[in-house]
C-alpha cells in the first residue's frame, strides 16, 4: 500500500478592516515542494506539476488563532478551500506598523489521524490599510510585473516561462520594483500605501509567485488569484472577469480609499480598468498600462485612450514614464 502523505495548509495573505477579520487558504496533502534557488529545469517542472496536480482535503475543520488567543473554526469545501469572514472590533491593536495582522491556521485536533507537517502551525497575515494611507495600488502581475508572454501566439511563452523557469530565474520588468516602492511610500514618504496584486493565474501557483515577489523585494501585499478551471469543469462560469470582481471587492471594502490601477496592453486590462473608472469616477486616480510591444494590441489600446477622459490613463513603454507622471500628479515625491 502507498503511504499516505502528510497534510499541510496553504495560507493566502488577505485583507480586511479594523472590524472585519477575513482568512482564506486551502487544505492539501504535502507534496514537499521546495522552492530552492539554482535548481535545474527538471526540478522546476516537477515542482510546477505538483502544484497544479494538488490533492485537496475536503470538508475538514481548520482553526484560526489570533495573536490575542482568540480562536475560530472554519470548514473546507469540496476542493479544500476555506474562506472565513467575521466581524470583530479593534483588530488594529494586533497589527504591526504597516498594518499586517498575524494569525495561525491549524488542523483542528482529532479532525484527522494523519500526520501534519510543520507541527500543525501555518502562519499567515491579513492587511488592514493604515488610516495614513494616501491611496491604494492594484496591480496586475503577468506582463505588468513579470515577463510572462500572454500576448504570444497560443500563449506558448506563458507555458515555457511558468513550467520551465524557477522563480529565481524570472526577472521583474525593468523599473517596476523601484516604481512600486515609490508608490508604497507615496508623497509623505511613509510605507503605508497598500498594494494588492491581481492575476488570472490559479491559486496553485501562489507559492511560486510569492517566492518571486519576496526575492525581488516588491512591496508586500495580498496576491489575489483564482480557482483552477479545467476544460471539463462544469461549474458555472463567473458573471464577470476575475480581475474586475476583485477590484470591485476592494473598492467596496475600502470605500474611502482612492486607487491607482496598473496593468498592461496585452489582454483586457484596459477594458476592465476603464469600465471601473467610469463606474467609480472619483475613486481611480490614474491607470498605467505597460506596453507589451504588440502593434495590433497597442493600436487598440490607443483608441481606448483617445476616447477616454474620465481619469488619466497612460500607455507606458518603461517605468520612468510612469514615475514622471506620478511625480507630476503628486502621487510620489
Amino acid at each position: 500500500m502507498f503511504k499516505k502523505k502528510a497534510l499541510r495548509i496553504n495560507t493566502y495573505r488577505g485583507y480586511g478592516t479594523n472590524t472585519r477579520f477575513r482568512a482564506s487558504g486551502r487544505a492539501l496533502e504535502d507534496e514537499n515542494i521546495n522552492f530552492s534557488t539554482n535548481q535545474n529545469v527538471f526540478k522546476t517542472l516537477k515542482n510546477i506539476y505538483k502544484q497544479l496536480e494538488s490533492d485537496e482535503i475536503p470538508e475538514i475543520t481548520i482553526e484560526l488563532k489570533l495573536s490575542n488567543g482568540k480562536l475560530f473554526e472554519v470548514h473546507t469545501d469540496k476542493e479544500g478551500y476555506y474562506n472565513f469572514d467575521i466581524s470583530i472590533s479593534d483588530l488594529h491593536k494586533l497589527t504591526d506598523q504597516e498594518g499586517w495582522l498575524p494569525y495561525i491556521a491549524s488542523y483542528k485536533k482529532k479532525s484527522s489521524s494523519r500526520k501534519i507537517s510543520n507541527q500543525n502551525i501555518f502562519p499567515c497575515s491579513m492587511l488592514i490599510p493604515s488610516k495614513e494611507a494616501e491611496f491604494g495600488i492594484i496591480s496586475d502581475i503577468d506582463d505588468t510585473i513579470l515577463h510572462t508572454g500572454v500576448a504570444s501566439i497560443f500563449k506558448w511563452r506563458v507555458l515555457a516561462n511558468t513550467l520551465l523557469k524557477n522563480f529565481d530565474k524570472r526577472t521583474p520588468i525593468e523599473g517596476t520594483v523601484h516604481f512600486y516602492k515609490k508608490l508604497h511610500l507615496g508623497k509623505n514618504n511613509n510605507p503605508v500605501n497598500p498594494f494588492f496584486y491581481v492575476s488570472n493565474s490559479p491559486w496553485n501557483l501562489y507559492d511560486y509567485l510569492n517566492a518571486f515577489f519576496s526575492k525581488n523585494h516588491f512591496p508586500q501585499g495580498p496576491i489575489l488569484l483564482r480557482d483552477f478551471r479545467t476544460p471539463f469543469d462544469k461549474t458555472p462560469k463567473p458573471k464577470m472577469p476575475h480581475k474586475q470582481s476583485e477590484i470591485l471587492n476592494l473598492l467596496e471594502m475600502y470605500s474611502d480609499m482612492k486607487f491607482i490601477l496598473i496593468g498592461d496592453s496585452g489582454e483586457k486590462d484596459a477594458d476592465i480598468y476603464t469600465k471601473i473608472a467610469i463606474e467609480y469616477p472619483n475613486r481611480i486616480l490614474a491607470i498605467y498600462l505597460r506596453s507589451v510591444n504588440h502593434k495590433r494590441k497597442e493600436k487598440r489600446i490607443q483608441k481606448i485612450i483617445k476616447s477616454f477622459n474620465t481619469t488619466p490613463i497612460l500607455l507606458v513603454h518603461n517605468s520612468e514614464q510612469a514615475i514622471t507622471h506620478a511625480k507630476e500628479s503628486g502621487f510620489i515625491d
Side-chain angles (χ1 to χ4, degrees):
M1 292 180 65
F2 290 105
K3 184 178 179 181
K4 287 188 176 181
K5 298 173 184 176
L7 306 183
R8 70 183 296 262
I9 301 174
N10 206 19
T11 56
Y12 307 136
R13 277 197 306 270
Y15 61 89
T17 70
N18 183 45
T19 58
R20 190 172 173 186
F21 174 55
R22 302 168 74 240
S24 62
R26 197 178 192 191
L28 299 165
E29 288 189 344
D30 194 346
E31 300 289 348
N32 292 314
I33 299 172
N34 180 16
F35 282 100
S36 58
T37 57
N38 299 316
Q39 64 187 25
N40 59 37
V41 171
F42 176 76
K43 181 67 178 296
T44 298
L45 187 60
K46 186 177 180 181
N47 276 348
I48 296 297
Y49 171 77
K50 284 181 176 181
Q51 288 180 93
L52 295 176
E53 194 275 328
S54 59
D55 295 308
E56 62 275 3
I57 310 300
E59 300 175 354
I60 199 166
T61 304
I62 302 295
E63 291 183 333
L64 306 170
K65 187 177 182 179
L66 298 179
S67 59
N68 63 1
K70 285 189 176 181
L71 196 66
F72 307 95
E73 291 186 3
V74 62
H75 301 279
T76 63
D77 64 16
K78 63 180 181 180
E79 294 185 345
Y81 290 105
Y82 64 85
N83 289 286
F84 185 74
D85 193 333
I86 193 171
S87 296
I88 312 176
S89 60
D90 296 328
L91 286 171
H92 71 281
K93 294 179 179 178
L94 306 178
T95 65
D96 64 14
Q97 291 182 340
E98 292 193 14
W100 288 100
L101 181 149
Y103 65 92
I104 292 172
S106 305
Y107 285 95
K108 185 178 181 180
K109 293 179 181 179
K110 298 182 180 179
S111 65
S112 176
S113 59
R114 293 170 64 173
K115 181 181 177 181
I116 301 172
S117 299
N118 210 42
Q119 298 181 317
N120 199 20
I121 298 173
F122 301 93
C124 196
S125 56
M126 182 193 82
L127 178 64
I128 302 176
S130 169
K131 291 181 180 179
E132 297 178 6
E134 302 164 70
F135 50 80
I137 305 96
I138 302 173
S139 174
D140 176 45
I141 297 176
D142 302 318
D143 284 327
T144 299
I145 294 173
L146 179 64
H147 284 291
T148 305
V150 292
S152 59
I153 297 175
F154 303 124
K155 300 189 185 297
W156 69 269
R157 284 196 181 121
V158 177
L159 296 174
N161 284 324
T162 303
L163 298 179
L164 304 179
K165 287 186 178 181
N166 196 37
F167 76 92
D168 63 323
K169 299 296 192 298
R170 307 287 295 274
T171 55
I173 290 171
E174 187 176 0
T176 52
V177 176
H178 179 57
F179 179 40
Y180 283 31
K181 285 183 175 179
K182 280 186 167 293
L183 290 173
H184 188 45
L185 291 169
K187 190 72 174 178
N188 296 327
N189 201 35
N190 189 9
V192 294
N193 292 335
F195 264 83
F196 305 90
Y197 301 99
V198 184
S199 172
N200 284 326
S201 294
W203 284 111
N204 305 62
L205 296 181
Y206 182 89
D207 289 339
Y208 179 95
L209 291 171
N210 193 38
F212 168 81
F213 276 82
S214 297
K215 176 184 179 293
N216 292 286
H217 307 291
F218 277 93
Q220 193 176 79
I223 302 172
L224 309 172
L225 308 180
R226 64 182 179 92
D227 195 8
F228 182 63
R229 295 179 65 93
T230 69
F232 309 103
D233 196 335
K234 295 181 179 180
T235 57
K237 290 185 177 181
K239 294 180 180 179
M240 66 177 69
H242 167 68
K243 288 182 189 176
Q244 184 177 349
S245 176
E246 290 290 358
I247 295 171
L248 292 176
N249 288 341
L250 288 164
L251 286 164
E252 181 180 346
M253 177 76 71
Y254 307 117
S255 58
D256 295 329
M257 182 177 290
K258 295 185 178 182
F259 288 90
I260 291 173
L261 307 181
I262 306 176
D264 62 80
S265 64
E267 296 245 297
K268 298 293 184 181
D269 289 351
D271 305 86
I272 293 170
Y273 291 179
T274 51
K275 185 176 182 179
I276 289 172
I278 291 170
E279 189 175 350
Y280 296 87
N282 299 317
R283 300 284 305 282
I284 307 303
L285 295 174
I287 297 171
Y288 297 111
L289 299 170
R290 193 191 76 83
S291 170
V292 297
N293 297 318
H294 188 290
K295 288 184 179 180
R296 179 175 57 80
K297 291 179 181 292
E298 191 163 314
K299 188 176 181 180
R300 189 182 78 86
I301 299 301
Q302 291 288 10
K303 287 184 178 179
I304 292 175
I305 291 174
K306 287 180 181 178
S307 62
F308 186 76
N309 55 17
T310 303
T311 195
I313 178 170
L314 276 79
L315 179 66
V316 298
H317 291 82
N318 55 64
S319 293
E320 284 303 318
Q321 291 176 340
I323 289 173
T324 297
H325 179 271
K327 283 183 177 179
E328 291 173 350
S329 301
F331 305 147
I332 61 177
D333 197 6

